[in-house]
Amino acid sequence: MAAAQSIEFGKTLFSQNCASCHGAEGAGDGPVAVYIEPKPSDLGMLASANGGVFPFGDVWASIAEGSQSAHGTSMMPVWGDLFMEEALPKQVHPGISGKDIVEARMLALTYYLQSIQK
């Protein structure tokens, strides 16, 4: 089980980066959603849509690599790349790379999404 700190950090990341499309509660009803086709997913239903099992690896991959429609157009930003651009100029601690920072962010975000399953 994810630590509460990871989930809280993931919630903050979600609010800052995802809520405009997916909504504050992840239901796919963010203020930008009316301009997106197909509509953003209800992220609280991921486990339900996957036989009751949260698709951790698929969610991680969507965050890291973005997602594409059947026609190959980008549907979701590649947050891994965006997080990396933000992390690269920062030196947090010797031995912690920008990649480490990005993976921690993606992990926290994935844990948060796992925590909101209905």
Side-chain angles (χ1 to χ4, degrees):
M1 184 68 151
Q5 298 94 321
S6 291
I7 292 171
E8 278 303 309
F9 182 47
K11 182 177 183 177
T12 299
L13 288 170
F14 184 86
S15 293
Q16 294 171 345
N17 300 289
C18 311
S20 61
C21 295
H22 289 283
E25 304 298 318
D29 59 353
V32 178
V34 297
Y35 304 107
I36 301 171
E37 197 58 50
K39 298 295 179 213
S41 301
D42 180 342
L43 299 175
M45 299 301 293
L46 296 172
S48 178
N50 192 46
V53 177
F54 181 72
F56 197 94
D58 291 342
V59 171
W60 172 276
S62 289
I63 295 167
E65 302 164 9
S67 64
Q68 296 186 344
S69 75
H71 303 290
T73 58
S74 179
M75 300 304 300
M76 191 175 89
V78 180
W79 289 109
D81 289 350
L82 295 171
F83 287 162
M84 184 60 81
E85 287 177 19
E86 184 180 287
L88 281 177
K90 296 180 180 171
Q91 178 65 37
V92 175
H93 186 277
I96 297 176
S97 68
K99 183 178 182 225
D100 295 332
I101 294 168
V102 171
E103 288 182 358
R105 288 178 179 174
M106 292 188 308
L107 188 60
L109 189 49
T110 304
Y111 281 140
Y112 170 68
L113 293 174
Q114 186 176 32
S115 78
I116 66 166
Q117 297 307 293
K118 300 170 190 162

